Amino acid sequence: MTEFFMGLGLSYEWAWGIATICGILLIAFPLMLGVAMIIYADRKIWAAMALRKGPNVVGPIGLLQSFADGLKVFLQETIIPSAANKGLFLIAPIITFTVALMAWAVIPFNSGAVLADINVGLLYVLAISSLGVYGVVIAGWSSNSKYPFFSAMRASAQMISYEVSIGFILVTVVLWAGTFNLNDIVKAQQGHGLGLVNGFWFNPLLFPMWVMFLISALAETARAPFDLTEAESELVAGYQTEYSSMAFALYWLGEYANVLLMCTLNATLFFGGWLPPLDIPVLYIVPGFVWLLLKILFFFFIFSWVKATVPRYRYDQLMRLGWKVFLPVSLLFVFLVSGYLMATGHFA
Amino acid sequence: MIQVFAFYLFATLCIFSGAVTILARNPVHSVLWLILAFFNAAGLMVLVGAEFIAMLLVIVYVGAVAVLFLFVVMMLDIDFAELRAGFIRNFPLGLALAVVLFVELFVGLVVHGKGGVALGKADGSAPQAAGMSNIEAIGALLYSRYLFLFEAAGIVLLVAMIGAIVLTHRQRTDTRGQNIAKQNARRPDEATINLQPEVGKGVQI
């Protein structure tokens, strides 16, 4: 895009700056719209599984429900508790929201259609997702209230625990792809399964890693069955208890943007990202971002499905799963994958 | 132009947040300013082309170490009067530390002014060849020339980890833990009994 603006007679700096801002807007606006629609989809799926109708009043079949909710919270009064640490109380939701948007910079939407095509793309995603915990922890502390504080404690322990196993899972993918660049990881999956299937999931050594990544993604985004940070039967609403109005909405949007990001990572790392599911020339006629979108929606359906059907974990079992099951198993698979790749001369 | 602007932005914010880390009254604020300082340092690393180090700084320090810091500091019961009471007593020690740090920095600057040390030439060979990405260059060095040191560092960390676990681990006999393998191995016929008591007789278990 920089070349296009340079073609209009701008200097490199200005062209680069304008191209970057355009790229950010091109990602952020559809993402916000997508988040609004995905909240609606989440509620509809959830309702269908409980044999209810779900939102069906605002707009045709309730399609405008999220926008109505958005308008509602926008018009509400922002209440700051008098005992709260005001600055941090207001910064916390902004951190959550910003961090949820930042990681999208390195996601490839098509061959070459990526805002920042950096060498350490996957590490960047890991770094940014590890920042997400601050929004929750700061909110919990600055609210100066008991339930949010418990929630913050839980969140910090939970997110760090699952990041460790996610790190090792990503290492197995990186070993196979030989790069940290997300676009190159997608390209490495072309025809990976018997020269026909695009995606690492077809690989017997990486399929268990995908299953673990999906579960860790649920825990990392604090979705059911791992939503202990806002367990309403124990902690009222967790770290969001004292929040109202737009500050609350920012958490809402940030949370769903994070869920979409995790779905996208599932699609990009294990299911071939913008590649079609099968390596058949006819399928390449459909543009890459359509395939990516379909895969994201597929994974989001799994997320909703799990939310609608699985009861919440107990906290000690959550920790046990993270540290005593996922960590050793993912370490074992790092060992197995690197051993297999060395034995077959993959690195030669 | 952009690079210069970015450098001054990151550097100023880094020094400012470092200073506020020390000056902030509230320890939680201190930790948060420290996190901002880490973040800006990572930005500076990206500017000099060490993107791998920058990402590690964010993942390890901001993402894990600082969260644990915050975790501990948040639970402190802060008494500001007590904090101020220790100020006079600790002042000489703090002053001595400040002088040592300043002298070290000054000596470093003077030595740098005299020519400095060329980096990446421990045995006189040329620095890492261009055309390799950061991660590949670091990996190639760590797993070839510095293999022994790397493995030794790994062993030291392992010993430290096991030591920490041994020191803090305690066997508790007064609580009942959950044995998940045992629970999963249980079959219905060993967990339940099926009886048909006569009317008015009751059951003996």
Short mmCIF file of all heavy atoms in Angstrom, two decimals, chain A residues 69-124:
data_model
loop_
_atom_site.label_atom_id
_atom_site.label_comp_id
_atom_site.label_asym_id
_atom_site.label_seq_id
_atom_site.Cartn_x
_atom_site.Cartn_y
_atom_site.Cartn_z
N ASP A 69 -27.58 -2.75 22.39
CA ASP A 69 -26.88 -2.87 23.67
C ASP A 69 -25.76 -1.84 23.76
O ASP A 69 -25.55 -1.22 24.80
CB ASP A 69 -26.29 -4.28 23.82
CG ASP A 69 -27.37 -5.30 24.11
OD1 ASP A 69 -28.48 -4.88 24.46
OD2 ASP A 69 -27.09 -6.50 23.98
N GLY A 70 -25.04 -1.67 22.64
CA GLY A 70 -23.95 -0.70 22.61
C GLY A 70 -24.46 0.70 22.90
O GLY A 70 -23.90 1.44 23.70
N LEU A 71 -25.59 1.06 22.26
CA LEU A 71 -26.18 2.38 22.47
C LEU A 71 -26.61 2.54 23.93
O LEU A 71 -26.40 3.58 24.54
CB LEU A 71 -27.38 2.55 21.54
CG LEU A 71 -27.98 3.95 21.51
CD1 LEU A 71 -27.00 4.91 20.88
CD2 LEU A 71 -29.30 3.95 20.75
N LYS A 72 -27.15 1.46 24.47
CA LYS A 72 -27.62 1.51 25.86
C LYS A 72 -26.47 1.83 26.81
O LYS A 72 -26.55 2.75 27.61
CB LYS A 72 -28.26 0.17 26.24
CG LYS A 72 -28.84 0.16 27.62
CD LYS A 72 -29.21 -1.24 28.06
CE LYS A 72 -27.98 -2.02 28.44
NZ LYS A 72 -28.26 -3.40 28.82
N VAL A 73 -25.37 1.06 26.71
CA VAL A 73 -24.27 1.30 27.66
C VAL A 73 -23.63 2.66 27.40
O VAL A 73 -23.13 3.30 28.32
CB VAL A 73 -23.19 0.20 27.60
CG1 VAL A 73 -23.72 -1.09 28.13
CG2 VAL A 73 -22.62 0.03 26.23
N PHE A 74 -23.70 3.12 26.13
CA PHE A 74 -23.11 4.42 25.82
C PHE A 74 -23.85 5.54 26.53
O PHE A 74 -23.26 6.54 26.93
CB PHE A 74 -23.14 4.63 24.30
CG PHE A 74 -22.38 5.83 23.84
CD1 PHE A 74 -21.00 5.84 23.89
CD2 PHE A 74 -23.05 6.95 23.37
CE1 PHE A 74 -20.29 6.94 23.48
CE2 PHE A 74 -22.35 8.05 22.95
CZ PHE A 74 -20.97 8.05 23.01
N LEU A 75 -25.16 5.35 26.68
CA LEU A 75 -25.98 6.40 27.30
C LEU A 75 -26.00 6.30 28.82
O LEU A 75 -26.53 7.17 29.49
CB LEU A 75 -27.41 6.33 26.76
CG LEU A 75 -27.52 6.65 25.27
CD1 LEU A 75 -28.93 6.41 24.78
CD2 LEU A 75 -27.09 8.07 25.00
N GLN A 76 -25.45 5.23 29.36
CA GLN A 76 -25.47 5.08 30.82
C GLN A 76 -24.44 6.00 31.47
O GLN A 76 -23.49 6.45 30.83
CB GLN A 76 -25.16 3.63 31.20
CG GLN A 76 -26.38 2.73 31.13
CD GLN A 76 -26.00 1.29 31.31
OE1 GLN A 76 -24.83 0.95 31.24
NE2 GLN A 76 -26.98 0.46 31.53
N GLU A 77 -24.64 6.22 32.77
CA GLU A 77 -23.71 7.06 33.51
C GLU A 77 -22.49 6.24 33.92
O GLU A 77 -22.62 5.09 34.34
CB GLU A 77 -24.40 7.60 34.76
CG GLU A 77 -23.51 8.51 35.57
CD GLU A 77 -24.11 8.83 36.94
OE1 GLU A 77 -25.23 8.39 37.20
OE2 GLU A 77 -23.42 9.49 37.72
N THR A 78 -21.31 6.84 33.80
CA THR A 78 -20.10 6.17 34.26
C THR A 78 -19.97 6.39 35.76
O THR A 78 -19.84 7.52 36.21
CB THR A 78 -18.86 6.73 33.56
OG1 THR A 78 -19.09 6.69 32.16
CG2 THR A 78 -17.63 5.93 33.90
N ILE A 79 -20.00 5.31 36.50
CA ILE A 79 -19.91 5.43 37.96
C ILE A 79 -18.53 4.96 38.39
O ILE A 79 -18.12 3.84 38.09
CB ILE A 79 -20.99 4.59 38.66
CG1 ILE A 79 -22.38 5.10 38.26
CG2 ILE A 79 -20.82 4.63 40.17
CD1 ILE A 79 -23.49 4.19 38.66
N ILE A 80 -17.80 5.85 39.09
CA ILE A 80 -16.51 5.47 39.62
C ILE A 80 -16.64 5.36 41.13
O ILE A 80 -17.00 6.35 41.79
CB ILE A 80 -15.43 6.51 39.25
CG1 ILE A 80 -15.35 6.65 37.73
CG2 ILE A 80 -14.09 6.10 39.82
CD1 ILE A 80 -14.46 7.75 37.28
N PRO A 81 -16.37 4.19 41.71
CA PRO A 81 -16.50 4.06 43.17
C PRO A 81 -15.58 5.05 43.88
O PRO A 81 -14.47 5.31 43.42
CB PRO A 81 -16.04 2.62 43.43
CG PRO A 81 -16.15 1.94 42.13
CD PRO A 81 -15.95 2.95 41.08
N SER A 82 -16.07 5.63 44.99
CA SER A 82 -15.29 6.69 45.64
C SER A 82 -14.00 6.13 46.23
O SER A 82 -13.02 6.85 46.37
CB SER A 82 -16.13 7.35 46.73
OG SER A 82 -16.61 6.36 47.61
N ALA A 83 -13.97 4.84 46.58
CA ALA A 83 -12.76 4.27 47.15
C ALA A 83 -11.79 3.76 46.09
O ALA A 83 -10.73 3.27 46.41
CB ALA A 83 -13.13 3.13 48.10
N ALA A 84 -12.19 3.87 44.82
CA ALA A 84 -11.35 3.31 43.76
C ALA A 84 -10.15 4.21 43.49
O ALA A 84 -10.14 5.40 43.81
CB ALA A 84 -12.17 3.16 42.48
N ASN A 85 -9.12 3.59 42.91
CA ASN A 85 -7.95 4.32 42.46
C ASN A 85 -8.29 4.85 41.06
O ASN A 85 -8.20 4.13 40.08
CB ASN A 85 -6.78 3.35 42.42
CG ASN A 85 -5.46 4.04 42.37
OD1 ASN A 85 -5.30 4.99 41.60
ND2 ASN A 85 -4.54 3.62 43.18
N LYS A 86 -8.74 6.13 40.98
CA LYS A 86 -9.45 6.59 39.78
C LYS A 86 -8.69 6.40 38.48
O LYS A 86 -9.23 5.88 37.52
CB LYS A 86 -9.84 8.06 39.95
CG LYS A 86 -11.07 8.21 40.79
CD LYS A 86 -11.61 9.61 40.79
CE LYS A 86 -12.62 9.76 41.91
NZ LYS A 86 -12.04 9.44 43.24
N GLY A 87 -7.43 6.85 38.45
CA GLY A 87 -6.67 6.78 37.21
C GLY A 87 -6.60 5.35 36.69
O GLY A 87 -6.96 5.07 35.54
N LEU A 88 -6.15 4.45 37.55
CA LEU A 88 -5.99 3.06 37.13
C LEU A 88 -7.33 2.43 36.80
O LEU A 88 -7.44 1.62 35.88
CB LEU A 88 -5.30 2.25 38.23
CG LEU A 88 -3.83 2.58 38.42
CD1 LEU A 88 -3.26 1.76 39.56
CD2 LEU A 88 -3.06 2.31 37.16
N PHE A 89 -8.37 2.82 37.54
CA PHE A 89 -9.70 2.26 37.31
C PHE A 89 -10.16 2.55 35.88
O PHE A 89 -10.78 1.72 35.24
CB PHE A 89 -10.67 2.89 38.32
CG PHE A 89 -12.05 2.31 38.29
CD1 PHE A 89 -12.32 1.12 38.94
CD2 PHE A 89 -13.08 2.96 37.63
CE1 PHE A 89 -13.59 0.58 38.93
CE2 PHE A 89 -14.35 2.41 37.62
CZ PHE A 89 -14.60 1.23 38.27
N LEU A 90 -9.83 3.74 35.37
CA LEU A 90 -10.24 4.10 34.02
C LEU A 90 -9.27 3.56 32.97
O LEU A 90 -9.67 3.30 31.83
CB LEU A 90 -10.37 5.62 33.90
CG LEU A 90 -11.55 6.18 34.68
CD1 LEU A 90 -11.55 7.69 34.62
CD2 LEU A 90 -12.86 5.62 34.14
N ILE A 91 -7.98 3.40 33.35
CA ILE A 91 -7.00 2.93 32.36
C ILE A 91 -7.20 1.45 32.07
O ILE A 91 -7.03 1.00 30.94
CB ILE A 91 -5.57 3.20 32.88
CG1 ILE A 91 -5.27 4.69 32.81
CG2 ILE A 91 -4.55 2.44 32.07
CD1 ILE A 91 -3.96 5.05 33.46
N ALA A 92 -7.61 0.68 33.10
CA ALA A 92 -7.68 -0.79 32.95
C ALA A 92 -8.50 -1.25 31.75
O ALA A 92 -8.01 -2.05 30.94
CB ALA A 92 -8.19 -1.41 34.24
N PRO A 93 -9.77 -0.78 31.58
CA PRO A 93 -10.52 -1.26 30.40
C PRO A 93 -9.87 -0.83 29.09
O PRO A 93 -9.95 -1.57 28.10
CB PRO A 93 -11.90 -0.62 30.57
CG PRO A 93 -11.77 0.42 31.58
CD PRO A 93 -10.61 0.07 32.43
N ILE A 94 -9.22 0.35 29.09
CA ILE A 94 -8.56 0.81 27.87
C ILE A 94 -7.42 -0.14 27.51
O ILE A 94 -7.22 -0.49 26.34
CB ILE A 94 -8.04 2.25 28.04
CG1 ILE A 94 -9.22 3.18 28.32
CG2 ILE A 94 -7.28 2.70 26.82
CD1 ILE A 94 -8.83 4.58 28.66
N ILE A 95 -6.68 -0.60 28.54
CA ILE A 95 -5.59 -1.55 28.29
C ILE A 95 -6.14 -2.82 27.66
O ILE A 95 -5.65 -3.29 26.63
CB ILE A 95 -4.85 -1.88 29.60
CG1 ILE A 95 -4.07 -0.66 30.10
CG2 ILE A 95 -3.89 -3.05 29.39
CD1 ILE A 95 -3.38 -0.89 31.41
N THR A 96 -7.19 -3.38 28.27
CA THR A 96 -7.77 -4.62 27.74
C THR A 96 -8.16 -4.46 26.28
O THR A 96 -7.83 -5.29 25.43
CB THR A 96 -9.02 -5.01 28.55
OG1 THR A 96 -8.65 -5.19 29.90
CG2 THR A 96 -9.64 -6.29 28.03
N PHE A 97 -8.85 -3.37 25.98
CA PHE A 97 -9.36 -3.14 24.63
C PHE A 97 -8.21 -2.94 23.64
O PHE A 97 -8.18 -3.54 22.57
CB PHE A 97 -10.27 -1.92 24.66
CG PHE A 97 -10.93 -1.65 23.35
CD1 PHE A 97 -11.92 -2.48 22.89
CD2 PHE A 97 -10.56 -0.57 22.58
CE1 PHE A 97 -12.54 -2.24 21.68
CE2 PHE A 97 -11.16 -0.33 21.38
CZ PHE A 97 -12.16 -1.16 20.92
N THR A 98 -7.23 -2.11 24.01
CA THR A 98 -6.11 -1.83 23.11
C THR A 98 -5.32 -3.09 22.81
O THR A 98 -4.98 -3.38 21.66
CB THR A 98 -5.17 -0.80 23.75
OG1 THR A 98 -5.94 0.23 24.34
CG2 THR A 98 -4.23 -0.22 22.74
N VAL A 99 -5.04 -3.85 23.86
CA VAL A 99 -4.25 -5.07 23.70
C VAL A 99 -4.98 -6.06 22.79
O VAL A 99 -4.36 -6.73 21.96
CB VAL A 99 -3.94 -5.67 25.08
CG1 VAL A 99 -3.50 -7.09 24.97
CG2 VAL A 99 -2.88 -4.84 25.77
N ALA A 100 -6.33 -6.12 22.95
CA ALA A 100 -7.10 -7.04 22.11
C ALA A 100 -6.99 -6.66 20.64
O ALA A 100 -7.06 -7.52 19.77
CB ALA A 100 -8.57 -7.04 22.55
N LEU A 101 -6.82 -5.36 20.35
CA LEU A 101 -6.70 -4.94 18.95
C LEU A 101 -5.27 -5.09 18.42
O LEU A 101 -5.06 -5.37 17.26
CB LEU A 101 -7.12 -3.47 18.80
CG LEU A 101 -8.59 -3.15 18.95
CD1 LEU A 101 -8.81 -1.67 18.73
CD2 LEU A 101 -9.41 -3.96 17.97
N MET A 102 -4.28 -4.90 19.31
CA MET A 102 -2.88 -4.84 18.87
C MET A 102 -2.40 -6.10 18.17
O MET A 102 -1.68 -6.05 17.18
CB MET A 102 -1.96 -4.55 20.06
CG MET A 102 -1.75 -3.09 20.35
SD MET A 102 -1.00 -2.89 21.97
CE MET A 102 0.69 -3.30 21.60
N ALA A 103 -2.83 -7.27 18.71
CA ALA A 103 -2.28 -8.52 18.20
C ALA A 103 -2.68 -8.77 16.74
O ALA A 103 -2.01 -9.52 16.04
CB ALA A 103 -2.74 -9.69 19.06
N TRP A 104 -3.77 -8.11 16.28
CA TRP A 104 -4.22 -8.34 14.91
C TRP A 104 -3.26 -7.80 13.88
O TRP A 104 -3.39 -8.11 12.69
CB TRP A 104 -5.60 -7.71 14.71
CG TRP A 104 -6.66 -8.44 15.42
CD1 TRP A 104 -7.06 -8.25 16.72
CD2 TRP A 104 -7.45 -9.51 14.93
NE1 TRP A 104 -8.04 -9.13 17.04
CE2 TRP A 104 -8.32 -9.92 15.96
CE3 TRP A 104 -7.52 -10.17 13.70
CZ2 TRP A 104 -9.23 -10.96 15.81
CZ3 TRP A 104 -8.43 -11.19 13.56
CH2 TRP A 104 -9.28 -11.59 14.59
N ALA A 105 -2.28 -7.02 14.30
CA ALA A 105 -1.35 -6.41 13.34
C ALA A 105 -0.57 -7.45 12.55
O ALA A 105 -0.18 -7.20 11.42
CB ALA A 105 -0.38 -5.48 14.06
N VAL A 106 -0.31 -8.62 13.13
CA VAL A 106 0.54 -9.59 12.43
C VAL A 106 -0.25 -10.73 11.82
O VAL A 106 0.34 -11.67 11.29
CB VAL A 106 1.61 -10.16 13.39
CG1 VAL A 106 2.61 -9.10 13.77
CG2 VAL A 106 0.99 -10.78 14.60
N ILE A 107 -1.60 -10.68 11.89
CA ILE A 107 -2.40 -11.78 11.34
C ILE A 107 -2.48 -11.66 9.81
O ILE A 107 -2.90 -10.62 9.31
CB ILE A 107 -3.83 -11.75 11.92
CG1 ILE A 107 -3.79 -11.86 13.44
CG2 ILE A 107 -4.69 -12.85 11.32
CD1 ILE A 107 -3.37 -13.18 13.96
N PRO A 108 -2.06 -12.68 9.07
CA PRO A 108 -2.18 -12.60 7.60
C PRO A 108 -3.59 -12.95 7.15
O PRO A 108 -4.12 -14.00 7.51
CB PRO A 108 -1.17 -13.65 7.12
CG PRO A 108 -1.04 -14.60 8.24
CD PRO A 108 -1.39 -13.90 9.51
N PHE A 109 -4.21 -12.05 6.38
CA PHE A 109 -5.58 -12.29 5.90
C PHE A 109 -5.59 -12.90 4.51
O PHE A 109 -6.57 -13.44 4.06
CB PHE A 109 -6.38 -10.98 5.89
CG PHE A 109 -6.59 -10.44 7.27
CD1 PHE A 109 -5.76 -9.47 7.79
CD2 PHE A 109 -7.60 -10.93 8.08
CE1 PHE A 109 -5.94 -8.98 9.06
CE2 PHE A 109 -7.78 -10.46 9.35
CZ PHE A 109 -6.96 -9.48 9.84
N ASN A 110 -4.45 -12.76 3.82
CA ASN A 110 -4.31 -13.37 2.51
C ASN A 110 -2.81 -13.38 2.23
O ASN A 110 -2.03 -12.84 3.02
CB ASN A 110 -5.04 -12.54 1.46
CG ASN A 110 -5.44 -13.39 0.27
OD1 ASN A 110 -4.86 -14.46 0.05
ND2 ASN A 110 -6.40 -12.93 -0.49
N SER A 111 -2.40 -13.98 1.13
CA SER A 111 -0.97 -13.99 0.84
C SER A 111 -0.46 -12.55 0.76
O SER A 111 -0.82 -11.82 -0.15
CB SER A 111 -0.73 -14.71 -0.47
OG SER A 111 0.64 -14.64 -0.79
N GLY A 112 0.33 -12.13 1.73
CA GLY A 112 0.88 -10.79 1.72
C GLY A 112 -0.02 -9.73 2.31
O GLY A 112 0.41 -8.61 2.54
N ALA A 113 -1.31 -10.05 2.59
CA ALA A 113 -2.22 -9.06 3.17
C ALA A 113 -2.09 -9.06 4.67
O ALA A 113 -2.89 -9.62 5.39
CB ALA A 113 -3.66 -9.35 2.75
N VAL A 114 -1.01 -8.44 5.16
CA VAL A 114 -0.77 -8.38 6.60
C VAL A 114 -0.19 -7.01 6.92
O VAL A 114 0.61 -6.48 6.17
CB VAL A 114 0.15 -9.54 7.05
CG1 VAL A 114 1.35 -9.68 6.16
CG2 VAL A 114 0.58 -9.39 8.48
N LEU A 115 -0.64 -6.43 8.04
CA LEU A 115 -0.24 -5.06 8.37
C LEU A 115 1.25 -4.99 8.66
O LEU A 115 1.96 -4.15 8.12
CB LEU A 115 -1.05 -4.56 9.56
CG LEU A 115 -0.79 -3.12 9.99
CD1 LEU A 115 -1.16 -2.17 8.87
CD2 LEU A 115 -1.55 -2.79 11.24
N ALA A 116 1.75 -5.87 9.52
CA ALA A 116 3.17 -5.86 9.87
C ALA A 116 3.73 -7.26 9.63
O ALA A 116 3.50 -8.17 10.41
CB ALA A 116 3.35 -5.47 11.33
N ASP A 117 4.44 -7.44 8.52
CA ASP A 117 4.98 -8.74 8.15
C ASP A 117 6.34 -8.92 8.82
O ASP A 117 7.37 -8.82 8.17
CB ASP A 117 5.09 -8.83 6.62
CG ASP A 117 5.23 -10.27 6.17
OD1 ASP A 117 5.02 -11.15 7.01
OD2 ASP A 117 5.55 -10.48 5.00
N ILE A 118 6.34 -9.17 10.14
CA ILE A 118 7.61 -9.20 10.86
C ILE A 118 8.08 -10.64 11.07
O ILE A 118 7.30 -11.57 11.08
CB ILE A 118 7.52 -8.47 12.22
CG1 ILE A 118 6.38 -9.02 13.06
CG2 ILE A 118 7.38 -6.98 12.01
CD1 ILE A 118 6.31 -8.41 14.43
N ASN A 119 9.39 -10.78 11.27
CA ASN A 119 10.01 -12.10 11.43
C ASN A 119 9.55 -12.80 12.69
O ASN A 119 9.53 -14.01 12.76
CB ASN A 119 11.53 -11.95 11.48
CG ASN A 119 12.12 -11.86 10.10
OD1 ASN A 119 11.57 -12.41 9.17
ND2 ASN A 119 13.21 -11.14 9.98
N VAL A 120 9.25 -12.01 13.73
CA VAL A 120 8.94 -12.62 15.02
C VAL A 120 7.44 -12.55 15.29
O VAL A 120 7.02 -12.36 16.42
CB VAL A 120 9.72 -11.93 16.15
CG1 VAL A 120 11.17 -12.31 16.11
CG2 VAL A 120 9.56 -10.44 16.09
N GLY A 121 6.64 -12.71 14.22
CA GLY A 121 5.19 -12.53 14.33
C GLY A 121 4.55 -13.31 15.46
O GLY A 121 3.78 -12.77 16.24
N LEU A 122 4.91 -14.60 15.54
CA LEU A 122 4.27 -15.45 16.54
C LEU A 122 4.68 -15.02 17.95
O LEU A 122 3.85 -15.02 18.88
CB LEU A 122 4.66 -16.90 16.29
CG LEU A 122 3.73 -17.95 16.85
CD1 LEU A 122 2.30 -17.65 16.46
CD2 LEU A 122 4.12 -19.30 16.36
N LEU A 123 5.95 -14.62 18.11
CA LEU A 123 6.41 -14.15 19.43
C LEU A 123 5.67 -12.87 19.80
O LEU A 123 5.34 -12.64 20.96
CB LEU A 123 7.91 -13.88 19.41
CG LEU A 123 8.82 -15.09 19.48
CD1 LEU A 123 10.26 -14.65 19.39
CD2 LEU A 123 8.60 -15.83 20.78
N TYR A 124 5.41 -12.03 18.79
CA TYR A 124 4.67 -10.79 19.03
C TYR A 124 3.28 -11.11 19.56
O TYR A 124 2.83 -10.51 20.54
CB TYR A 124 4.60 -9.99 17.73
CG TYR A 124 3.72 -8.78 17.77
CD1 TYR A 124 4.18 -7.59 18.30
CD2 TYR A 124 2.41 -8.83 17.29
CE1 TYR A 124 3.37 -6.48 18.36
CE2 TYR A 124 1.60 -7.72 17.34
CZ TYR A 124 2.09 -6.55 17.87
OH TYR A 124 1.27 -5.46 17.93
#
